[in-house]
């Protein structure tokens, strides 16, 4: 039997005036896989994430999650279905504690009124604490987030996403700006998240990380799909090599 598609993107298109940021992109993400997206600057990768996660409306096309269309659902509805994302820039609430950030993430997956979640729902706090433990920040829950180094902010952003109990995690360039050792540590963390049964879709420029993690990759260029398939095959494709060399 064919592997089950957890997410199906069909002809996804986003136009901004005369510019087509995402142009008829189609792909499936299978349950439990790690799916990579790459391509030069401005290729449309982040816009593709935005339209899957409900942050922008697709101009046309369809997105199916677990077989149901979500292209008209709100960010909150999509989050409650089990899709969470992180952003390219480490975005945490700087003045909040590490635990505070994780609680905000946990609240989004709870489906409960914010005042109940944030102030007294023990289940939300438990999930936030468990997510911090998972990424190795358990003993730093009381620290203020602002002064944390980049890697810790990235881990915190991932913990906050995990705290909403997603079944599919979208990561926008998680390896950007990390040292080699931090890249190794994040590779291990993402493997553990995937081993816990969470499907991962990531945009990534760091080829070493993409090649180590991704079961399949999609290469975008100027809004379109250039190639998709098995990473080694796709990345050695002359057209993909040309686009990458041409953009650097
Ligand atoms: P990068 O690797 O630099 O993050 P990307 O592949 O993620 O690039 P996008 O950020 O999705 O590319 O941008 C794709 C194109 O759409 C770019 O030309 C960008 O300027 C344009 N674009 C993105 N968002 C908007 C917007 N809100 N309004 C107008 N144009 C936009």
């Amino acid at each position: 039997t064919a592997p089950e598609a957890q997410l199906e993107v069909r002809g996804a298109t986003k136009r901004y005036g005369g510019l087509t940021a995402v142009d008829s992109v189609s792909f499936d993400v299978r349950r439990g896989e790690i799916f990579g997206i790459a391509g030069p600057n401005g290729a449309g990768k982040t816009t593709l994430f935005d339209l899957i996660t409900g942050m922008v409306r697709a101009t046309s096309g369809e997105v199916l999650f677990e077989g149901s269309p979500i292209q008209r659902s709100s960010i909150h509805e999509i989050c409650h279905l089990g899709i969470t994302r992180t952003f390219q820039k480490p975005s945490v609430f700087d003045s909040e504690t590490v635990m505070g950030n994780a609680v905000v993430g946990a609240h989004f997956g709870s489906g409960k009124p914010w005042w109940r979640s944030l102030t007294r729902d023990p289940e939300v706090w438990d999930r936030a604490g468990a997510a911090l433990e998972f990424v190795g920040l358990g003993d730093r829950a009381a620290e203020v987030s602002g002064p944390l180094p980049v890697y810790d902010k990235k881990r915190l952003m991932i913990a906050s996403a995990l705290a909403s109990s997603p079944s599919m995690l979208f990561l926008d360039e998680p390896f950007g700006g990390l040292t080699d050792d931090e890249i190794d540590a994040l590779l291990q963390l993402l493997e553990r998240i995937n081993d816990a049964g969470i499907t991962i879709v990531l945009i990534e420029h760091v080829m070493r990380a993409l090649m180590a993690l991704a079961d399949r990759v999609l290469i975008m260029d100027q809004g379109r799909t250039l190639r998709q398939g098995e990473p080694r095959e796709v990345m050695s494709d002359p057209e993909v090599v040309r686009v990458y060399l041409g953009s650097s």
Side-chain angles (χ1 to χ4, degrees), residues 16 19 21 39-48 88 172-173 203 205:
Y16 289 110
L19 179 105
N41 289 338
K45 308 178 295 293
T46 298
T47 305
L48 183 62
Q88 200 171 337
D172 196 343
E173 295 194 31
I203 297 173
H205 282 302

Side-chain angles (χ1 to χ4, degrees), residues 44 46 72 83 96 154 214:
T46 298
R72 276 180 238 296
I83 294 179
E96 222 0 290
K154 290 202 173 208

Side-chain angles (χ1 to χ4, degrees), residues 128-144:
L132 289 179
E133 287 291 338
F134 197 93
V135 305
L137 290 173
D139 55 354
R140 305 184 37 202
E143 285 182 30
V144 174

